[in-house]
């Protein structure tokens, strides 16, 4: 009886808005993947879109599964799950499969997945959980302590893989969560001062630590014309794809830059460029508005969360989506360096899609249970 | 929830909306402001216009024997983008080229990573098999087929047939070549150059959609190439071959003309070169070797070398003297082996003298003393007038190479150029084709043609005439003069004591005249001298005597006496032509 009662209330309050947005984005993504990888020569028949549909169905299932339990349980498993996540990252580093010059993949039987995609959720959960134990705004000491305790090790592992994109996102999520939790004014001022002063030093240390191809990407970002045939090629071809879309676009399945392979990584990192070529300014702005709706709704969920854990989780997940979105789209528009991270829900990639659906599930869970205190 | 937390989240929303606005502006910039520009680039990304060279017209000889053919050859190119996936050293070993060379070609100036770079042309089947067997080791390696010119007779006729070469820098600026694809071959010498426009046809154009790897996706438009027109040269390859082979390594020239049209039946310049060397582009060292060769194979000796004609010039003196009436066929001169004029001696080549000679015997035995007398009676200006009338001393007008004009001296010339008066002794020299007189083999062939056809001058042409050609001039000389001269020339070859006996042929009666051009003025038996001091040998001839079908001039550099070195070549050339002519006319019947 109790179960049915809970379900009925859940169904009534279920956050269909967020659900509708992420499914819509995924369908747009699959359509774009289909167009981007459509065969031009008869002997090449990729099935990226089919695989992505399977992952979408798995993602939707996972989403409902996550929503069916109160998110509070996550706080109980936060520490062990985080520890397991770090171990998994280490395993990847030591035994992972190398793809595109980086070790990101772990293969178990027929499945291969990217633990870093799952880890980012465990990271958000553990930080949110840990912040619950702190009262008031954080001072410098506590923020350094938490950084060293939860962020430093995975950051090093990710940089070692190397997965610069996820490492940057980890750092941004940590900062976003800290801001939402609350920082003492002097810490904020200090962070800004340290940040400004240390940029050249950190920049230098990071620069030395970068692989050649990563350095090339940054050089290419600064000066895309310097090496139009090499690394700057990605950025130029992306701009050509987006720009040639014009106002109304070339039409669905009529884009050329992706399928003709002028645009590399067309179905993953540069999928926005493929979309923008086919749908033009009108389509691109509409797509931007859908993402804006997802992010604003996420922030609204954080505002409306029934407890602090929910608020921190929602804020962390929204920060994650926003960061991915802005870096990825900014990169295809030529206003951000190329760091190889996917566009949430649209880029081809199973683990990322599943992980994002789990994240969306947590958001929906929080929003769906926002009135729970009043029952 | 604390108000602070709420405020911070609201602040985050504004920051996010601001960033979205920024992205929207960027999209506007790319898709609206620069949309047209990027649209063009995107079309250029997708489309390629590939020019395909048209099959070149075939060059035939006058009897429709092909002299060249278009033969396919293979070449290997590599996509620069695939450089890292290919073991270059291994590839270089298979192709037998230098690995450094491959890198140099690929790293050359701003190439697109998707534009194939030619590595080697003219792959052998063995090389192709070695590559195909390990195809997966060489991603981005393309083996393509192209057409090349093959010259079926090698260095035979190379000076008249010519060869192909890539556009040179000055040609690529010339609008005449704007339709020619950049790597294509065009005519650079001989007939290949002169008739390049018609031979090369119209290149085809394929507009294709390509992907970033340059692979063809879709053919959008195709204009097939139009094959170039075939060309039928006037030369007879049998004559040409027989004459060139008869040179046996010596230098010299042969020009054979059809007396009733001016068509060139053969044009030999030895040493020659193998035009097949140029077929796929000559390299620098090969080219400099050819250019710096001391034997100057690139010089067209038929048109570009001029020498005293020696006794062959006696034909001119004889015609002039008869036509002017200063001698008659019965005029007799006594030769005692030379004459004395003032303090100078003018010898006859026959030390003991010819005794009493008439015109006929003077021609047959080439008596110098007789022609000294004829020259004295004519005077240099009359000799020069006739020589010019008969085509000597000026270009014949064949547009093959820059032709030299030779020199026919007279009193006016000497006064203008040397500021000196003309001496009678110089007339003696001129009358027997020595001294200042110089001619090209082409001019001498034309002289022989005029004698053979009885006074008509045709402009020499190298393309087979499909309609009868008209003479450009008619020399005003009495017909019986030519009869008398031809009779003498027949005697030179066919009578006892004649200097041209070596040209006597069983195929047809030949008439001709020997000549020896002095290189150094010592009268010593030529074969005792080092080759470079030996005299040049001349022989001019026509056949058959009653109804001439061929007139020719043979010139052998440092060949010694005309009768010994040049006459046998003339005989072989005449026989090769007349036999073939009989064969082809019997086939026609």
């Amino acid at each position: 009886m109790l179960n049915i009662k809970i379900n009925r209330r859940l169904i009534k309050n279920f956050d269909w808005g967020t659900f509708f947005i992420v499914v819509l984005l995924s369908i747009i993504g699959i359509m774009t993947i289909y167009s981007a990888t459509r065969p031009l020569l008869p002997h090449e028949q990729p099935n990226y879109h089919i695989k992505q549909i399977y992952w979408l169905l798995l993602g939707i299932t996972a989403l409902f599964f996550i929503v069916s339990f109160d998110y509070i349980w996550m706080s109980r498993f936060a520490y062990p799950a985080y520890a397991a996540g770090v171990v998994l990252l280490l395993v990847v580093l030591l035994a992972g499969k190398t793809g595109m010059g980086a070790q990101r993949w772990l293969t178990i039987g027929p499945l291969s997945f990217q633990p870093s995609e799952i880890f980012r959720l465990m990271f958000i959960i553990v930080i949110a959980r840990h912040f619950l134990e702190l009262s008031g705004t954080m001072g410098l000491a506590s923020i350094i302590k938490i950084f060293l305790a939860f962020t430093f090790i995975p950051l090093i592992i990710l940089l070692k893989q190397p997965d610069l994109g996820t490492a940057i996102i980890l750092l941004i999520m940590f900062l976003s969560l800290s801001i939402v939790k609350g920082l003492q004014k002097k810490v904020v001022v200090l962070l800004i001062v340290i940040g400004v002063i240390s940029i050249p030093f950190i920049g230098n240390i990071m620069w030395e630590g970068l692989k050649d191809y990563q350095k090339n990407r940054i050089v290419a970002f600064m000066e895309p014309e310097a090496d139009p045939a090499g690394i700057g090629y990605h950025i130029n071809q992306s701009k050509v794809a987006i720009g040639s879309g014009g106002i109304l676009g070339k039409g669905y399945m009529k884009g050329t830059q992706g399928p003709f392979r002028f645009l590399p990584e067309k179905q993953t990192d540069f999928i926005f460029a493929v979309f923008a070529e086919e749908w033009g300014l009108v389509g691109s702005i509409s797509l931007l508005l859908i993402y804006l709706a997802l992010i604003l709704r996420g922030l609204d969920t954080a505002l409306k969360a029934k407890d602090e854990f929910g608020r921190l989780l929602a804020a962390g997940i929204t920060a994650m989506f926003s960061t991915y979105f802005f870096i990825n789209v900014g990169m295809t528009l030529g206003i951000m360096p190329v760091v190889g991270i996917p566009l949430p829900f649209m880029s081809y990639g199973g683990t990322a899609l599943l992980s994002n659906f789990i994240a969306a599930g947590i958001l929906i869970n929080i929003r769906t249970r926002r009135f729970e205190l009043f029952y | 929830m604390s108000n602070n937390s709420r405020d911070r989240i609201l602040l985050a929303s504004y920051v996010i909306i601001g960033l979205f606005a920024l992205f929207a502006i960027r999209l506007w910039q790319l898709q609206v402001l620069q949309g047209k520009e990027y649209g063009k680039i995107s079309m250029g990304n997708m489309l390629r216009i590939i020019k395909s060279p048209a099959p070149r017209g075939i060059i035939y000889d006058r009897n429709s024997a092909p002299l060249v053919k278009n033969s396919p050859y293979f070449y290997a190119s590599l996509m620069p983008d695939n450089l890292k996936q290919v073991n270059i050293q291994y590839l270089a070993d298979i192709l037998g080229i230098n690995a450094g060379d491959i890198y140099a070609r690929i790293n050359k100036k701003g190439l697109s990573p998707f534009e194939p770079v030619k590595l080697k042309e003219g792959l052998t089947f063995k090389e192709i098999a070695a590559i195909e067997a390990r195809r997966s080791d060489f991603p981005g390696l393309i083996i393509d087929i192209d057409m090349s010119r093959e010259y079926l007779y090698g260095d035979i006729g190379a000076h008249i047939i010519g060869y192909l070469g890539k556009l040179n820098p000055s040609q690529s600026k010339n609008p005449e070549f704007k339709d020619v694809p950049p790597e294509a071959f065009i005519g650079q010498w001989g007939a290949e150059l002169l008739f390049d426009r018609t031979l090369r046809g119209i290149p085809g154009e394929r507009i294709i959609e390509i992907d970033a790897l340059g692979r063809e996706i879709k053919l959008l438009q195709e204009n097939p190439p139009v094959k170039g027109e075939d060309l039928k040269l006037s030369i007879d390859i049998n004559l040409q071959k027989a004459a060139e082979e008869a040179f046996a390594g010596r230098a010299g020239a042969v020009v054979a003309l059809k007396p009733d049209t001016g068509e060139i039946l053969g044009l030999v310049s030895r040493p020659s070169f193998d035009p097949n060397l140029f077929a796929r582009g000559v390299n620098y060292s090969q080219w400099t070797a050819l250019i710096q060769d001391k034997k100057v194979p690139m010089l067209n000796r038929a048109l570009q070398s001029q020498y005293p004609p020696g006794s062959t010039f006696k034909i001119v003196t004889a015609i002039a003297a008869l036509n002017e009436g200063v001698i008659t066929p019965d005029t007799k001169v006594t030769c005692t082996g030379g004459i004395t004029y003032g303090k100078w001696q003018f010898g006859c080549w026959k030390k003991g003298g010819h005794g009493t000679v008439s015109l006929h015997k003077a021609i047959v035995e080439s008596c110098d003393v007789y022609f000294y007398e004829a020259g004295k009676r004519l005077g240099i200006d009359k000799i020069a007038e006739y020589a010019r009338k008969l085509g000597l001393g000026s270009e014949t007008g064949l547009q093959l190479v820059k032709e030299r004009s030779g020199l026919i001296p007279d009193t006016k010339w000497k006064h203008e150029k040397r500021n000196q008066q003309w001496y009678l002794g110089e007339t003696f020299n001129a009358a027997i084709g020595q001294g200042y007189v110089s001619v090209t083999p082409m001019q001498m062939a034309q002289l022989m043609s005029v004698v053979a056809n009885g006074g008509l001058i045709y402009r020499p042409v190298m393309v087979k005439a499909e309609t009868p050609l008209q003479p450009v001039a008619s020399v005003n000389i009495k017909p019986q003069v030519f009869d008398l001269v031809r009779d003498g020339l027949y005697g030179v070859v066919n009578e006892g004591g004649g200097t041209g006996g070596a040209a006597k042929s069983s195929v047809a009666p030949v008439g001709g005249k020997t000549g020896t051009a002095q290189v150094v003025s010592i009268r010593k038996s030529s074969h005792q001298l080092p080759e470079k001091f030996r005299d040049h040998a001349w022989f001019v001839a026509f056949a058959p005597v009653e109804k001439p079908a061929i007139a020719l001039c043979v010139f052998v550099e440092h060949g010694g006496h005309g009768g010994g070195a040049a006459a046998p070549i003339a005989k072989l050339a005449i026989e090769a032509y007349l036999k073939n002519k009989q064969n082809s006319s019997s086939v026609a019947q």
Side-chain angles (χ1 to χ4, degrees), chain A residues 44 179-180 182 233 237 239 242-243 246 250 256-257 260-262 276 281 288 292 295 303 311 325-326 333, chain B residues 1 5 8 13 16 19-20 23-24 26-27 30-31 35 38-39 42 45-46 113-114 209-212 215:
Chain A
E44 293 177 349
I179 290 165
V180 172
Y233 179 81
Q237 291 299 333
K239 287 199 282 190
I242 295 170
K250 293 179 183 170
T256 55
Q257 298 298 291
F260 285 78
R261 292 171 192 251
F262 292 101
L281 182 72
L288 249 53
L292 182 62
I295 291 167
L303 284 177
R311 185 168 71 248
F325 172 81
F326 283 119
L333 289 174
Chain B
M1 196 200 300
S5 179
R8 284 192 292 268
S13 322
I16 292 211
L19 283 172
F20 268 99
F23 277 31
R26 175 65 172 170
L27 277 169
L30 289 179
Q31 298 190 302
Y38 281 119
S42 129
N45 263 346
M46 234 172 70
F114 310 116
E209 236 176 59
I210 55 153
D211 68 6
R215 290 180 304 186

Side-chain angles (χ1 to χ4, degrees), chain B residues 487-505:
Chain B
D487 193 44
L489 296 178
Y490 174 83
V492 169
V493 176
N494 298 287
E495 289 174 15
T499 53
K504 186 172 179 175
S505 168

Side-chain angles (χ1 to χ4, degrees), chain B residues 46-97:
Chain B
M46 234 172 70
L47 299 183
R48 283 284 179 283
I49 298 171
I50 296 175
K51 293 220 169 182
S52 45
R56 233 176 136 73
I58 299 298
I59 301 176
Y60 296 98
D61 90 335
R62 66 181 300 108
N63 297 314
S64 302
L67 305 176
V68 300
K69 69 173 187 180
N70 294 323
S71 57
Y73 74 101
F74 294 94
Y75 65 90
S77 11
L78 185 68
M79 290 286 187
D81 200 35
N82 293 98
L83 189 58
K84 279 176 193 148
Q85 293 134 273
V86 176
N87 183 339
I88 296 294
Q89 186 57 54
Y90 185 38
L91 181 60
D93 288 346
I94 290 182
L95 295 178
I97 51 178

Side-chain angles (χ1 to χ4, degrees), chain A residues 48-69:
Chain A
Y48 294 109
H49 60 290
I50 305 284
K51 284 190 187 165
Q52 190 79 344
I53 288 170
Y54 290 144
W55 281 104
L56 173 61
L57 295 175
L58 190 64
I60 291 172
T61 311
L63 182 143
F64 281 113
F65 182 76
I66 292 286
V67 174
S68 62
F69 301 98

